[in-house]
Amino acid sequence: MKDDDAASPSTTSSSTPAAPPRRHGLVASFAFAFAGVAYLLRTQRNARIHVAAAAAACLVATWLRIARIEWAILVLTIACVLILEGLNTALEAVVDLASPQIHPLAKIAKDVTAGMVLIAAIAAVIVGLLILGPPLWGWLAG
């Protein structure tokens, strides 16, 4: 068989080239990303709880006038928790799509990602206590 014959539509129906993937502009890419964040906050109670806790921590940090490096650590920690919450939500959607029936492997995937969010949330509380605790305690002690 010649190379020309391999690309010919008459040889097999699977040899027809696929349409190129649709490309989106920068603005559309940002719109999709914001839609994902909006979906997360609209549908996931735990994400809303994380955002409320993050906002409270940021208010306390502002009031305590923490240093820039402490802000960097706090913001990065908050971002990690929210990122993991989003990945957990995405994975749950993909698992539900791939395995609509109850399956032990689907349960493992969902449980492990939920566990990773829990670990991140516990770490975030610890970071918050380490950064905000001492100056808050100093203020409370007078």
Side-chain angles (χ1 to χ4, degrees):
M1 180 186 293
K2 297 186 303 188
D3 288 332
D4 294 351
D5 293 337
S8 168
S10 63
T11 56
T12 63
S13 62
S14 64
S15 65
T16 305
R22 184 170 175 172
R23 299 184 74 129
H24 299 284
L26 183 63
V27 173
S29 295
F30 274 99
F32 296 144
F34 283 118
V37 172
Y39 176 84
L40 179 71
L41 295 175
R42 186 177 64 250
T43 64
Q44 302 301 307
R45 179 193 65 211
N46 288 346
R48 292 190 299 272
I49 291 169
H50 293 311
V51 168
C58 288
L59 286 173
V60 172
T62 301
W63 178 64
L64 292 172
R65 298 174 193 226
I66 65 172
R68 278 188 299 177
I69 189 70
E70 292 171 325
W71 268 111
I73 293 167
L74 195 63
V75 168
L76 187 58
T77 302
I78 290 166
C80 285
V81 172
L82 293 175
I83 289 165
L84 282 171
E85 188 67 51
L87 289 173
N88 180 48
T89 300
L91 184 107
E92 285 184 358
V94 169
V95 167
D96 289 346
L97 178 65
S99 179
Q101 322 72 11
I102 295 174
H103 191 283
L105 293 176
K107 179 180 180 353
I108 290 169
K110 289 181 173 189
D111 290 352
V112 168
T113 55
M116 297 308 99
V117 176
L118 177 63
I119 289 170
I122 291 169
V125 169
I126 293 168
V127 167
L129 290 173
L130 289 171
I131 291 175
L132 303 175
L136 192 58
W137 183 256
W139 180 81
L140 290 172

